[in-house]
Amino acid sequence: MTILNTTFNTPYNTAPFSKIKNEDFLSAFKVAIEKAKAEIDAIVNNTELPTFENTIEALDYSGEELDRISSLFFNLNSAETNDEIQKIAQEVSPLLSEFSNDITLNEALFKRVKAVYNSKDDLKLTTEQATLLDKKYKSFSRNGANLQEDKKQKLRAIDKELSQLKLKFGEHVLAETNKFEMHLTNESDVLGLPEGAKEAAKQLAESKGKDGWLITLDYPSYIPFMTYADNRELREKLSKAFGSKGFHNDDLDNQDIVLKIVNLRFERAQLLGYKTHAHFVLEERMAQTPEKVNDFLNELLEKAKPAAEKEFEELETFAKELDGIEQLQKWDSAYYSEKLKQKLFDLDDEKLKPYFKLENVIDGAFTVAEKLFGLRFEEINTIDKYHDDVLTYKVVDAENNLVSIFYADFFPRAGKRNGAWMTSYKPQMIKNGKNERPHVSIVCNFTKPTKSKPSLLTFNEVTTLFHEFGHALHGMLANTTYPSLSGTSVYWDFVELPSQILENWCYEEETLKLFATHYETGEVIPMELVEKIKASATFHEGMQTLRQLSFGLLDMSWHGLNPTAISDVKKHEIEAFGKTQLYPDVEENCMSTAFAHIFQGGYSSGYYSYKWAEVLDADAFEYFKEEGIFNKTVADKFKAYILSQGGTDSPMTLYKKFRGQEPKPEALLKRAGLIK
């Protein structure tokens, strides 16, 4: 037995990262699985008649140790991985998949759950209890409990294979990202790059014993180069490397994996009596059906496409006038957009970055959380962390009660996947009369401090930090009885509301005055810059919307139809992008082979939810603006009905309790400048 199988004797029951060895995980998982099985057996073998408490509640509280170890391990596999951890993940995933099937395909257990479910009308359950009962019953019925034995075995085999394929997909993308380096030695190759980006590239080269500059596919390196580098050929080279991850017909190729994943998901859905994987997934979403999702995406497409085509035409004209570019390509997009934005608004990231020192932005997010929800963040150094870069905080309310432990991990490194995400190391729940508080983490990839400059964020990175912090608040302010309904355990197309609404504060003068101060002079961001930020907020919104819709439509094309006839990933993708395409296709590139959201993460049949949640967040923020962006009454309602409730009730019911009405898409279209 390892330290992972014991009660952590640590401050606030935090994870003892420094004492956990990689080799501990496999045996810890095996021990925890056996303990969880024993807890399930105790429920099944209970001689008393099935009740809500001895069956449904007991089931939700079971496997606590296993859940804790899983969250530790898989978070490390995303934020601080290595070959050893990846190898363990390949061994562990099938074990967990098998265990999950052991529960959902356990006939005796399902019989007890069904007995409680069938008597639900006589039980006088609270809303939360009724939701939990419904969720538990569906977790069985939607995962094969009603199947014949031979089909149950087939389901087990599919789930086992899917868990391994998803991991392999992610490993390939990470390996491709780490493998590519563009080593530049001529000053002319880095012309146009901002000083900070050049210095970071030089420092990276030095750290690897090289002269000149090193450009990689990590976002803080990739995005500034694509946005500012004057050398068009090098932008093309970098763009093609980024866009061809998993698409080289080599040992890191993901084409077969994509086809296997979509076919297995389809087979699984059919086995369970659903038309497609999307029909299966969307049954448990606000959108409910693929038809509704496609209608939603196409309705937005109709509004956004004319604007996008007009913007694209203007960009083409601008690039031709400026540099004689005859055909605008994908590697020209960020570069000429930035140049046009500077011309129209006299605004570029380099002007803004000095006002967005990372530490100040963090303090800004904390101040917003204090003004809205009465939270205070105290940095503490008495708890363990998995990497020196990680910052740790104790979060308390106005009465000094512990609300949460908060981890923040901001810089890229070799063992960390690209992008930004929020996660949890320990869930919130009320058990044995005690409100267990959550441990929440956000992970980002921002530019590291250099020898001469602190970490200065682009405005886009500022909104990213606020976005992930919004998710974190959803986790921190959770206040439910049952762990499976707590925090961000909500319908997938509702989970982005708390994150996306928080981004709105970044555009408000009242907020920016709180933290946007020049890192050298201490000067508050000039209001003319704030006005320009607001004016430029809808710049190329049509093209941005089209891009998001293209990802949603690609996702639905993989999962909302029968995929068995698809043999060519790239060809299928070109067809799916047909209605949204502006730039010429790049033959060497393929989006699907690195589309981790839908093939590794949990967004399959759910990518539309970013746009869906934008409708919610625009409508919700309009309410704040009507009453004042720090209005206590509105903030209290948002905390009471959205942030603290988790998945205890239907999202639309919770939203209407907060807003007093259903959301209207007009607020989003107006904010995006797509309607007047």
Side-chain angles (χ1 to χ4, degrees), residues 158-210:
I158 290 172
D159 286 345
K160 190 172 179 178
E161 193 176 350
L162 274 172
S163 70
Q164 288 169 309
L165 286 169
K166 282 161 67 179
L167 277 173
K168 185 63 74 184
F169 180 95
E171 285 168 15
H172 286 180
V173 175
L174 183 63
E176 288 268 57
T177 305
N178 289 338
K179 190 171 77 165
F180 178 86
E181 286 179 351
M182 192 162 74
H183 184 210
L184 307 174
T185 50
N186 295 331
E187 185 82 40
S188 61
D189 290 340
V190 290
L191 281 177
L193 272 193
E195 279 310 307
K198 272 170 72 173
E199 191 181 355
K202 198 168 194 59
Q203 223 166 274
L204 186 60
E206 280 171 14
S207 73
K208 301 205 173 185
K210 295 180 177 180

Side-chain angles (χ1 to χ4, degrees), residues 555-625:
D555 174 26
M556 294 310 290
S557 78
W558 281 120
H559 296 113
L561 301 163
N562 177 345
T564 51
I566 303 168
S567 58
D568 186 324
V569 173
K570 171 75 176 180
K571 188 165 169 257
H572 174 76
E573 186 170 293
I574 289 171
E575 285 168 14
F577 283 152
K579 289 189 288 188
T580 57
Q581 191 175 345
L582 294 172
Y583 291 91
D585 176 62
V586 182
E587 195 184 328
E588 300 92 325
N589 286 8
C590 184
M591 160 101 190
S592 299
T593 54
F595 199 172
H597 270 81
I598 67 170
F599 292 119
Q600 181 193 5
Y603 277 85
S604 66
S605 306
Y607 202 86
Y608 75 90
S609 60
Y610 283 105
K611 274 287 160 214
W612 186 276
E614 270 187 59
V615 170
L616 297 175
D617 100 66
D619 186 72
F621 192 64
E622 199 158 85
Y623 187 21
F624 272 100
K625 290 196 79 167

Side-chain angles (χ1 to χ4, degrees), residues 352-369 377 391 393 406 408 410 442 444 446 454-469 502-503 505-506 511-519 525:
L352 294 174
K353 278 169 78 171
Y355 295 98
F356 296 126
K357 182 181 166 186
L358 174 61
E359 290 77 2
N360 294 350
V361 180
I362 296 167
D363 286 345
F366 291 169
T367 304
V368 167
F377 291 76
L391 303 170
Y393 301 88
F406 178 52
F410 290 119
I442 61 171
C444 303
F446 299 146
S455 177
L456 300 175
L457 305 190
T458 64
F459 187 70
N460 191 37
E461 288 174 326
V462 174
T463 59
T464 295
L465 193 152
F466 269 69
H467 178 103
E468 298 309 331
F469 188 62
L502 210 69
E503 291 180 38
W505 272 265
C506 301
T511 314
L512 289 168
K513 279 180 171 173
L514 299 172
F515 70 87
T517 54
H518 197 287
Y519 79 100
I525 191 167

Side-chain angles (χ1 to χ4, degrees), residues 295-565:
D295 286 349
F296 169 71
L297 294 173
N298 285 313
E299 186 188 343
L300 285 181
L301 180 62
E302 202 180 304
K303 300 275 196 318
K305 196 169 183 176
E309 287 172 338
K310 186 166 175 279
E311 290 163 4
F312 186 70
E313 217 173 281
E314 285 167 359
L315 193 62
E316 275 190 312
T317 305
F318 174 73
K320 191 169 185 180
E321 285 171 1
L322 193 68
D323 289 331
I325 301 292
E326 287 300 330
Q327 174 67 72
L328 209 58
Q329 300 285 355
K330 284 182 180 171
W331 45 88
D332 298 318
S333 170
Y335 181 77
Y336 287 106
S337 287
E338 184 62 27
K339 289 255 187 294
L340 181 56
K341 189 172 164 186
Q342 286 176 31
K343 183 188 168 190
L344 294 175
F345 303 101
D346 186 26
L347 182 75
D348 71 83
D349 277 332
E350 291 312 300
K351 271 188 185 156
L352 294 174
K353 278 169 78 171
Y355 295 98
F356 296 126
K357 182 181 166 186
L358 174 61
E359 290 77 2
N360 294 350
V361 180
I362 296 167
D363 286 345
F366 291 169
T367 304
V368 167
E370 182 167 9
K371 287 172 84 74
L372 288 171
F373 310 118
L375 300 178
R376 287 202 325 277
F377 291 76
E378 302 165 6
E379 192 167 355
I380 52 169
N381 298 307
T382 52
I383 65 174
D384 234 337
K385 39 196 180 183
Y386 56 85
H387 191 279
D388 284 345
D389 284 350
V390 179
L391 303 170
T392 47
Y393 301 88
K394 176 185 173 186
V395 188
V396 296
D397 64 16
E399 283 79 47
N400 223 29
N401 300 310
L402 179 71
V403 172
S404 174
I405 295 296
F406 178 52
Y407 300 83
D409 178 0
F410 290 119
F411 305 121
R413 48 183 179 266
K416 186 176 180 181
R417 69 175 167 89
N418 253 330
W421 61 95
M422 166 268 173
T423 188
S424 144
Y425 284 104
K426 177 178 177 287
Q428 178 273 331
M429 66 179 109
I430 298 170
K431 192 176 178 188
N432 302 326
K434 185 179 181 222
N435 196 327
E436 296 278 349
R437 297 315 301 164
H439 299 175
V440 169
S441 165
I442 61 171
V443 187
C444 303
N445 281 278
F446 299 146
T447 307
K448 286 190 95 152
T450 61
K451 287 169 188 164
S452 67
K453 284 190 180 73
S455 177
L456 300 175
L457 305 190
T458 64
F459 187 70
N460 191 37
E461 288 174 326
V462 174
T463 59
T464 295
L465 193 152
F466 269 69
H467 178 103
E468 298 309 331
F469 188 62
H471 279 311
L473 290 172
H474 200 184
M476 289 180 211
L477 289 167
N479 197 25
T480 64
T481 306
Y482 304 112
S484 73
L485 300 178
S486 181
T488 55
S489 300
V490 298
Y491 277 5
W492 208 261
D493 45 8
F494 192 59
V495 80
E496 295 297 334
L497 167 60
S499 55
Q500 287 179 192
I501 193 174
L502 210 69
E503 291 180 38
N504 288 281
W505 272 265
C506 301
Y507 293 91
E508 297 296 320
E509 181 183 330
E510 210 178 325
T511 314
L512 289 168
K513 279 180 171 173
L514 299 172
F515 70 87
T517 54
H518 197 287
Y519 79 100
E520 288 175 313
T521 65
E523 174 207 17
V524 173
I525 191 167
M527 283 312 111
E528 65 182 87
L529 279 184
V530 175
E531 287 310 312
K532 285 175 182 178
I533 288 173
K534 293 189 85 154
S536 67
T538 59
F539 175 68
H540 281 179
E541 188 65 43
M543 281 161 68
Q544 291 295 341
T545 300
L546 214 61
R547 183 172 176 268
Q548 280 292 92
L549 294 175
S550 75
F551 297 163
L553 289 164
L554 177 63
D555 174 26
M556 294 310 290
S557 78
W558 281 120
H559 296 113
L561 301 163
N562 177 345
T564 51

